[in-house]
Amino acid sequence: MARLIILGSAAALPDACRDNTYMVLEGRESSILIDCGGSPLHKLQVVGVDLDTLDSLIITHHHPDHIYGVPVLLLGLWLYGRQEPFHIFGPRRSVAAITSIMDLLEWRDWAFGGAQDRPCTLPVAFQEVEMREGHRVIESPEFEITTAPVEHSIPTIAVKVMSRETGKAIVYSSDTEPCEALARLAQGVDILIHEGTGDYAGHSTPAQAGAMAKRCGAGKLVLIHFSALGCDLEGLRRAAEAEFNGPVELAEDFAVYPL
Ligand SMILES: [Zn+2]
Ligand SMILES: [Zn+2]
């Protein structure tokens, strides 16, 4: 059975127990990272994801807390000797940001066969995600993954993953304030993983995340991307529970959600 594993659950400021928010969808044949915080290849091995199954990364937007692990992910895949194409999906500006960062880091010197002691080439395929509702990013025998643009300070997508085997679906809001496109994407979803950063433009409070879960008829709400440092975590949960009658969890690093 497929599973979605939380690799980090904090907002941009992490603490001792919570890394920045990102996650991996693990199937039998393929695994897909969604955003990319610190030391991704280390964490994938900690949670037991076979690196040979990792074939894609979906970037929701290019704020640093969501993409800073990309350079070391690509360096690690190259050192691992990856031969199969690795796909990176994201909004146009996010793809441009990542390629610019990689160029500044002079990745062509190693990733494209320039290093004399390791002449293999890392095949990376960048693909822009259309900023429209219902864009189908990945269709595989195991998963159907669709996106929708949400309301943040830069172009950002929410991601819906559906298991073809079970029909179950999980939606990850990414960073957003409450918006219609997210409500439509998450309608009737089994698990809504929703940010709860707080009362800031382009973000949501835990109460707004609870209200969104109620509106969508979600089976469960998992709060993520909250400011954990010095925070009343139980207060966050209660604020969401005041709006949503279903189960509410605070995401934990390395929590596993079967799909
Ligand atoms: Zn963020
Ligand atoms: Zn952001």
Side-chain angles (χ1 to χ4, degrees):
M1 180 181 282
R3 44 186 204 153
L4 188 135
I5 307 166
I6 305 294
L7 300 177
S9 55
L13 179 62
D15 70 7
C17 301
R18 297 176 187 277
D19 197 357
N20 303 113
T21 292
Y22 71 119
M23 56 200 74
V24 63
L25 176 64
E26 183 196 39
R28 283 198 193 89
E29 293 165 13
S30 64
S31 298
I32 298 152
L33 276 167
I34 304 175
D35 286 337
C36 191
S39 211
L41 293 184
H42 166 70
K43 288 199 177 178
L44 290 171
Q45 291 171 86
V46 168
V47 298
V49 171
D50 180 350
L51 298 186
D52 290 324
T53 67
L54 185 68
D55 65 15
S56 311
L57 163 65
I58 298 172
I59 291 289
T60 64
H61 66 299
H62 58 282
H63 279 154
D65 52 316
H66 296 259
I67 64 160
Y68 71 96
V70 173
V72 80
L73 169 69
L74 296 180
L75 179 61
L77 288 176
W78 176 70
L79 289 170
Y80 188 64
R82 186 187 182 88
Q83 300 289 314
E84 299 298 311
F86 183 72
H87 301 272
I88 298 181
F89 302 90
R92 180 180 57 80
R93 281 170 54 186
S94 299
V95 167
I98 289 169
T99 53
S100 295
I101 290 168
M102 295 309 298
D103 286 343
L104 281 171
L105 297 175
E106 301 181 356
W107 73 319
R108 284 167 204 286
D109 289 353
W110 45 268
F112 299 104
Q116 295 193 346
D117 58 338
R118 186 177 281 268
C120 81
T121 298
L122 176 67
V124 181
F126 290 97
Q127 289 175 247
E128 294 175 9
V129 172
E130 295 172 27
M131 299 303 284
R132 63 173 174 81
E133 291 182 42
H135 178 66
R136 195 72 48 86
V137 176
I138 292 175
E139 257 182 310
S140 72
E142 293 182 290
F143 302 116
E144 188 178 294
I145 301 183
T146 51
T147 59
V150 290
E151 296 290 327
H152 194 40
S153 53
I154 58 175
T156 301
I157 51 172
V159 181
K160 179 179 187 176
V161 300
M162 193 192 81
S163 162
R164 288 191 188 278
E165 183 183 344
T166 64
K168 285 179 119 184
I170 297 177
V171 165
Y172 163 49
S173 69
S174 188
D175 291 4
T176 184
E177 52 191 53
C179 65
E180 297 299 314
L182 177 61
R184 285 189 284 269
L185 185 73
Q187 198 61 46
V189 76
D190 296 281
I191 301 174
L192 175 61
I193 301 177
H194 198 295
E195 72 123 298
T197 316
D199 189 13
Y200 308 101
H203 287 285
S204 300
T205 64
Q208 287 172 321
M212 181 61 75
K214 179 182 180 184
R215 180 173 171 190
C216 297
K220 178 195 282 192
L221 171 64
V222 177
L223 279 178
I224 202 165
H225 196 282
F226 43 83
S227 307
L229 200 60
C231 180
D232 169 17
L233 296 178
E234 275 310 303
L236 300 182
R237 186 208 308 273
R238 283 196 300 274
E241 285 173 341
E243 301 289 335
F244 177 56
N245 288 332
V248 177
E249 290 181 17
L250 299 181
E252 301 279 350
D253 290 21
F254 305 125
V256 175
Y257 296 97
L259 185 61

PDB file of all heavy atoms in Angstrom, residues 176-202:
ATOM      1  N   THR A 176      -0.749  28.961   1.900  1.00  0.00           N
ATOM      2  CA  THR A 176      -1.868  29.671   1.266  1.00  0.00           C
ATOM      3  C   THR A 176      -2.805  30.269   2.305  1.00  0.00           C
ATOM      4  O   THR A 176      -2.893  29.769   3.431  1.00  0.00           O
ATOM      5  CB  THR A 176      -2.678  28.725   0.354  1.00  0.00           C
ATOM      6  OG1 THR A 176      -3.708  29.470  -0.321  1.00  0.00           O
ATOM      7  CG2 THR A 176      -3.349  27.606   1.138  1.00  0.00           C
ATOM      8  N   GLU A 177      -3.494  31.324   1.913  1.00  0.00           N
ATOM      9  CA  GLU A 177      -4.645  31.749   2.691  1.00  0.00           C
ATOM     10  C   GLU A 177      -5.859  31.008   2.138  1.00  0.00           C
ATOM     11  O   GLU A 177      -5.779  30.394   1.074  1.00  0.00           O
ATOM     12  CB  GLU A 177      -4.809  33.270   2.630  1.00  0.00           C
ATOM     13  CG  GLU A 177      -4.817  33.872   1.258  1.00  0.00           C
ATOM     14  CD  GLU A 177      -4.713  35.399   1.318  1.00  0.00           C
ATOM     15  OE1 GLU A 177      -3.793  35.929   1.949  1.00  0.00           O
ATOM     16  OE2 GLU A 177      -5.567  36.053   0.691  1.00  0.00           O
ATOM     17  N   PRO A 178      -6.969  31.004   2.861  1.00  0.00           N
ATOM     18  CA  PRO A 178      -8.135  30.250   2.369  1.00  0.00           C
ATOM     19  C   PRO A 178      -8.533  30.727   0.975  1.00  0.00           C
ATOM     20  O   PRO A 178      -8.565  31.927   0.708  1.00  0.00           O
ATOM     21  CB  PRO A 178      -9.225  30.597   3.392  1.00  0.00           C
ATOM     22  CG  PRO A 178      -8.467  30.944   4.634  1.00  0.00           C
ATOM     23  CD  PRO A 178      -7.220  31.633   4.167  1.00  0.00           C
ATOM     24  N   CYS A 179      -8.812  29.781   0.077  1.00  0.00           N
ATOM     25  CA  CYS A 179      -9.175  30.169  -1.290  1.00  0.00           C
ATOM     26  C   CYS A 179     -10.085  29.116  -1.922  1.00  0.00           C
ATOM     27  O   CYS A 179     -10.106  27.954  -1.504  1.00  0.00           O
ATOM     28  CB  CYS A 179      -7.931  30.397  -2.144  1.00  0.00           C
ATOM     29  SG  CYS A 179      -6.944  28.929  -2.435  1.00  0.00           S
ATOM     30  N   GLU A 180     -10.816  29.551  -2.924  1.00  0.00           N
ATOM     31  CA  GLU A 180     -11.806  28.694  -3.579  1.00  0.00           C
ATOM     32  C   GLU A 180     -11.158  27.519  -4.296  1.00  0.00           C
ATOM     33  O   GLU A 180     -11.682  26.400  -4.294  1.00  0.00           O
ATOM     34  CB  GLU A 180     -12.617  29.516  -4.594  1.00  0.00           C
ATOM     35  CG  GLU A 180     -13.435  30.637  -3.983  1.00  0.00           C
ATOM     36  CD  GLU A 180     -14.457  30.116  -2.991  1.00  0.00           C
ATOM     37  OE1 GLU A 180     -15.142  29.128  -3.311  1.00  0.00           O
ATOM     38  OE2 GLU A 180     -14.549  30.682  -1.886  1.00  0.00           O
ATOM     39  N   ALA A 181     -10.030  27.776  -4.931  1.00  0.00           N
ATOM     40  CA  ALA A 181      -9.395  26.700  -5.703  1.00  0.00           C
ATOM     41  C   ALA A 181      -8.986  25.548  -4.791  1.00  0.00           C
ATOM     42  O   ALA A 181      -9.124  24.368  -5.154  1.00  0.00           O
ATOM     43  CB  ALA A 181      -8.179  27.242  -6.457  1.00  0.00           C
ATOM     44  N   LEU A 182      -8.501  25.865  -3.591  1.00  0.00           N
ATOM     45  CA  LEU A 182      -8.136  24.805  -2.651  1.00  0.00           C
ATOM     46  C   LEU A 182      -9.388  24.060  -2.191  1.00  0.00           C
ATOM     47  O   LEU A 182      -9.387  22.826  -2.091  1.00  0.00           O
ATOM     48  CB  LEU A 182      -7.391  25.390  -1.447  1.00  0.00           C
ATOM     49  CG  LEU A 182      -7.017  24.367  -0.373  1.00  0.00           C
ATOM     50  CD1 LEU A 182      -6.088  23.292  -0.919  1.00  0.00           C
ATOM     51  CD2 LEU A 182      -6.379  25.072   0.833  1.00  0.00           C
ATOM     52  N   ALA A 183     -10.451  24.783  -1.924  1.00  0.00           N
ATOM     53  CA  ALA A 183     -11.693  24.137  -1.487  1.00  0.00           C
ATOM     54  C   ALA A 183     -12.191  23.157  -2.542  1.00  0.00           C
ATOM     55  O   ALA A 183     -12.662  22.061  -2.217  1.00  0.00           O
ATOM     56  CB  ALA A 183     -12.754  25.197  -1.196  1.00  0.00           C
ATOM     57  N   ARG A 184     -12.055  23.517  -3.802  1.00  0.00           N
ATOM     58  CA  ARG A 184     -12.513  22.611  -4.868  1.00  0.00           C
ATOM     59  C   ARG A 184     -11.569  21.406  -4.998  1.00  0.00           C
ATOM     60  O   ARG A 184     -12.015  20.267  -5.162  1.00  0.00           O
ATOM     61  CB  ARG A 184     -12.601  23.368  -6.197  1.00  0.00           C
ATOM     62  CG  ARG A 184     -13.811  24.285  -6.275  1.00  0.00           C
ATOM     63  CD  ARG A 184     -14.008  24.850  -7.673  1.00  0.00           C
ATOM     64  NE  ARG A 184     -13.070  25.917  -7.978  1.00  0.00           N
ATOM     65  CZ  ARG A 184     -13.292  27.213  -7.755  1.00  0.00           C
ATOM     66  NH1 ARG A 184     -14.446  27.618  -7.235  1.00  0.00           N
ATOM     67  NH2 ARG A 184     -12.382  28.119  -8.071  1.00  0.00           N
ATOM     68  N   LEU A 185     -10.269  21.653  -4.910  1.00  0.00           N
ATOM     69  CA  LEU A 185      -9.302  20.552  -5.038  1.00  0.00           C
ATOM     70  C   LEU A 185      -9.494  19.522  -3.922  1.00  0.00           C
ATOM     71  O   LEU A 185      -9.342  18.324  -4.133  1.00  0.00           O
ATOM     72  CB  LEU A 185      -7.866  21.104  -5.002  1.00  0.00           C
ATOM     73  CG  LEU A 185      -6.745  20.095  -5.236  1.00  0.00           C
ATOM     74  CD1 LEU A 185      -6.692  19.680  -6.704  1.00  0.00           C
ATOM     75  CD2 LEU A 185      -5.387  20.663  -4.811  1.00  0.00           C
ATOM     76  N   ALA A 186      -9.834  20.018  -2.719  1.00  0.00           N
ATOM     77  CA  ALA A 186      -9.878  19.148  -1.539  1.00  0.00           C
ATOM     78  C   ALA A 186     -11.282  18.638  -1.220  1.00  0.00           C
ATOM     79  O   ALA A 186     -11.483  18.005  -0.179  1.00  0.00           O
ATOM     80  CB  ALA A 186      -9.312  19.897  -0.333  1.00  0.00           C
ATOM     81  N   GLN A 187     -12.234  18.860  -2.123  1.00  0.00           N
ATOM     82  CA  GLN A 187     -13.607  18.437  -1.845  1.00  0.00           C
ATOM     83  C   GLN A 187     -13.673  16.930  -1.601  1.00  0.00           C
ATOM     84  O   GLN A 187     -13.256  16.140  -2.447  1.00  0.00           O
ATOM     85  CB  GLN A 187     -14.500  18.824  -3.038  1.00  0.00           C
ATOM     86  CG  GLN A 187     -15.975  18.835  -2.725  1.00  0.00           C
ATOM     87  CD  GLN A 187     -16.317  19.849  -1.633  1.00  0.00           C
ATOM     88  OE1 GLN A 187     -15.861  20.968  -1.661  1.00  0.00           O
ATOM     89  NE2 GLN A 187     -17.100  19.424  -0.657  1.00  0.00           N
ATOM     90  N   GLY A 188     -14.168  16.543  -0.429  1.00  0.00           N
ATOM     91  CA  GLY A 188     -14.361  15.126  -0.120  1.00  0.00           C
ATOM     92  C   GLY A 188     -13.085  14.336   0.087  1.00  0.00           C
ATOM     93  O   GLY A 188     -13.108  13.100   0.082  1.00  0.00           O
ATOM     94  N   VAL A 189     -11.965  15.017   0.319  1.00  0.00           N
ATOM     95  CA  VAL A 189     -10.680  14.322   0.415  1.00  0.00           C
ATOM     96  C   VAL A 189     -10.597  13.529   1.738  1.00  0.00           C
ATOM     97  O   VAL A 189     -11.213  13.898   2.736  1.00  0.00           O
ATOM     98  CB  VAL A 189      -9.524  15.351   0.297  1.00  0.00           C
ATOM     99  CG1 VAL A 189      -9.330  16.151   1.591  1.00  0.00           C
ATOM    100  CG2 VAL A 189      -8.241  14.667  -0.122  1.00  0.00           C
ATOM    101  N   ASP A 190      -9.842  12.446   1.708  1.00  0.00           N
ATOM    102  CA  ASP A 190      -9.722  11.633   2.927  1.00  0.00           C
ATOM    103  C   ASP A 190      -8.893  12.346   3.995  1.00  0.00           C
ATOM    104  O   ASP A 190      -9.253  12.332   5.172  1.00  0.00           O
ATOM    105  CB  ASP A 190      -9.087  10.277   2.578  1.00  0.00           C
ATOM    106  CG  ASP A 190      -9.973   9.474   1.663  1.00  0.00           C
ATOM    107  OD1 ASP A 190     -10.927   8.874   2.173  1.00  0.00           O
ATOM    108  OD2 ASP A 190      -9.759   9.489   0.436  1.00  0.00           O
ATOM    109  N   ILE A 191      -7.768  12.918   3.594  1.00  0.00           N
ATOM    110  CA  ILE A 191      -6.908  13.645   4.538  1.00  0.00           C
ATOM    111  C   ILE A 191      -6.536  14.986   3.925  1.00  0.00           C
ATOM    112  O   ILE A 191      -6.055  15.043   2.782  1.00  0.00           O
ATOM    113  CB  ILE A 191      -5.619  12.851   4.861  1.00  0.00           C
ATOM    114  CG1 ILE A 191      -5.962  11.481   5.459  1.00  0.00           C
ATOM    115  CG2 ILE A 191      -4.740  13.639   5.828  1.00  0.00           C
ATOM    116  CD1 ILE A 191      -4.726  10.593   5.674  1.00  0.00           C
ATOM    117  N   LEU A 192      -6.771  16.050   4.676  1.00  0.00           N
ATOM    118  CA  LEU A 192      -6.340  17.380   4.251  1.00  0.00           C
ATOM    119  C   LEU A 192      -5.149  17.783   5.117  1.00  0.00           C
ATOM    120  O   LEU A 192      -5.287  17.930   6.337  1.00  0.00           O
ATOM    121  CB  LEU A 192      -7.476  18.398   4.409  1.00  0.00           C
ATOM    122  CG  LEU A 192      -7.112  19.859   4.114  1.00  0.00           C
ATOM    123  CD1 LEU A 192      -6.641  20.037   2.669  1.00  0.00           C
ATOM    124  CD2 LEU A 192      -8.300  20.784   4.405  1.00  0.00           C
ATOM    125  N   ILE A 193      -3.983  17.898   4.485  1.00  0.00           N
ATOM    126  CA  ILE A 193      -2.783  18.377   5.181  1.00  0.00           C
ATOM    127  C   ILE A 193      -2.699  19.868   4.898  1.00  0.00           C
ATOM    128  O   ILE A 193      -2.427  20.277   3.758  1.00  0.00           O
ATOM    129  CB  ILE A 193      -1.520  17.641   4.687  1.00  0.00           C
ATOM    130  CG1 ILE A 193      -1.665  16.136   4.918  1.00  0.00           C
ATOM    131  CG2 ILE A 193      -0.284  18.165   5.405  1.00  0.00           C
ATOM    132  CD1 ILE A 193      -0.491  15.311   4.382  1.00  0.00           C
ATOM    133  N   HIS A 194      -2.988  20.657   5.906  1.00  0.00           N
ATOM    134  CA  HIS A 194      -3.183  22.098   5.685  1.00  0.00           C
ATOM    135  C   HIS A 194      -2.228  22.895   6.555  1.00  0.00           C
ATOM    136  O   HIS A 194      -2.053  22.601   7.723  1.00  0.00           O
ATOM    137  CB  HIS A 194      -4.636  22.466   6.009  1.00  0.00           C
ATOM    138  CG  HIS A 194      -5.069  23.776   5.418  1.00  0.00           C
ATOM    139  ND1 HIS A 194      -4.515  24.979   5.805  1.00  0.00           N
ATOM    140  CD2 HIS A 194      -5.992  24.072   4.470  1.00  0.00           C
ATOM    141  CE1 HIS A 194      -5.090  25.958   5.104  1.00  0.00           C
ATOM    142  NE2 HIS A 194      -5.981  25.431   4.282  1.00  0.00           N
ATOM    143  N   GLU A 195      -1.674  23.921   5.967  1.00  0.00           N
ATOM    144  CA  GLU A 195      -0.787  24.786   6.734  1.00  0.00           C
ATOM    145  C   GLU A 195      -1.559  25.540   7.824  1.00  0.00           C
ATOM    146  O   GLU A 195      -2.752  25.822   7.691  1.00  0.00           O
ATOM    147  CB  GLU A 195      -0.085  25.778   5.798  1.00  0.00           C
ATOM    148  CG  GLU A 195      -0.973  26.876   5.238  1.00  0.00           C
ATOM    149  CD  GLU A 195      -0.427  28.266   5.580  1.00  0.00           C
ATOM    150  OE1 GLU A 195      -0.353  28.573   6.794  1.00  0.00           O
ATOM    151  OE2 GLU A 195      -0.104  29.027   4.647  1.00  0.00           O
ATOM    152  N   GLY A 196      -0.835  25.858   8.907  1.00  0.00           N
ATOM    153  CA  GLY A 196      -1.443  26.624   9.999  1.00  0.00           C
ATOM    154  C   GLY A 196      -0.453  27.636  10.539  1.00  0.00           C
ATOM    155  O   GLY A 196      -0.242  27.750  11.747  1.00  0.00           O
ATOM    156  N   THR A 197       0.167  28.388   9.605  1.00  0.00           N
ATOM    157  CA  THR A 197       1.257  29.291   9.981  1.00  0.00           C
ATOM    158  C   THR A 197       0.794  30.363  10.964  1.00  0.00           C
ATOM    159  O   THR A 197       1.499  30.717  11.901  1.00  0.00           O
ATOM    160  CB  THR A 197       1.825  29.988   8.720  1.00  0.00           C
ATOM    161  OG1 THR A 197       1.974  29.021   7.689  1.00  0.00           O
ATOM    162  CG2 THR A 197       3.161  30.644   9.007  1.00  0.00           C
ATOM    163  N   GLY A 198      -0.388  30.916  10.718  1.00  0.00           N
ATOM    164  CA  GLY A 198      -0.895  31.964  11.594  1.00  0.00           C
ATOM    165  C   GLY A 198      -1.541  33.069  10.795  1.00  0.00           C
ATOM    166  O   GLY A 198      -1.771  32.937   9.584  1.00  0.00           O
ATOM    167  N   ASP A 199      -1.815  34.157  11.479  1.00  0.00           N
ATOM    168  CA  ASP A 199      -2.573  35.253  10.885  1.00  0.00           C
ATOM    169  C   ASP A 199      -1.651  36.201  10.121  1.00  0.00           C
ATOM    170  O   ASP A 199      -1.329  37.295  10.589  1.00  0.00           O
ATOM    171  CB  ASP A 199      -3.326  35.998  12.002  1.00  0.00           C
ATOM    172  CG  ASP A 199      -4.309  37.007  11.440  1.00  0.00           C
ATOM    173  OD1 ASP A 199      -4.587  36.961  10.226  1.00  0.00           O
ATOM    174  OD2 ASP A 199      -4.785  37.858  12.218  1.00  0.00           O
ATOM    175  N   TYR A 200      -1.201  35.733   8.949  1.00  0.00           N
ATOM    176  CA  TYR A 200      -0.323  36.526   8.092  1.00  0.00           C
ATOM    177  C   TYR A 200      -0.883  36.481   6.677  1.00  0.00           C
ATOM    178  O   TYR A 200      -1.488  35.483   6.278  1.00  0.00           O
ATOM    179  CB  TYR A 200       1.099  35.936   8.057  1.00  0.00           C
ATOM    180  CG  TYR A 200       1.710  35.692   9.413  1.00  0.00           C
ATOM    181  CD1 TYR A 200       1.738  34.411   9.955  1.00  0.00           C
ATOM    182  CD2 TYR A 200       2.249  36.745  10.153  1.00  0.00           C
ATOM    183  CE1 TYR A 200       2.294  34.174  11.203  1.00  0.00           C
ATOM    184  CE2 TYR A 200       2.811  36.520  11.410  1.00  0.00           C
ATOM    185  CZ  TYR A 200       2.828  35.233  11.923  1.00  0.00           C
ATOM    186  OH  TYR A 200       3.374  34.996  13.150  1.00  0.00           O
ATOM    187  N   ALA A 201      -0.624  37.548   5.919  1.00  0.00           N
ATOM    188  CA  ALA A 201      -1.060  37.560   4.513  1.00  0.00           C
ATOM    189  C   ALA A 201      -0.440  36.376   3.787  1.00  0.00           C
ATOM    190  O   ALA A 201       0.743  36.066   3.963  1.00  0.00           O
ATOM    191  CB  ALA A 201      -0.634  38.862   3.852  1.00  0.00           C
ATOM    192  N   GLY A 202      -1.259  35.693   3.008  1.00  0.00           N
ATOM    193  CA  GLY A 202      -0.746  34.555   2.242  1.00  0.00           C
ATOM    194  C   GLY A 202      -0.639  33.279   3.039  1.00  0.00           C
ATOM    195  O   GLY A 202      -0.112  32.281   2.538  1.00  0.00           O
TER     196      GLY A 202
END
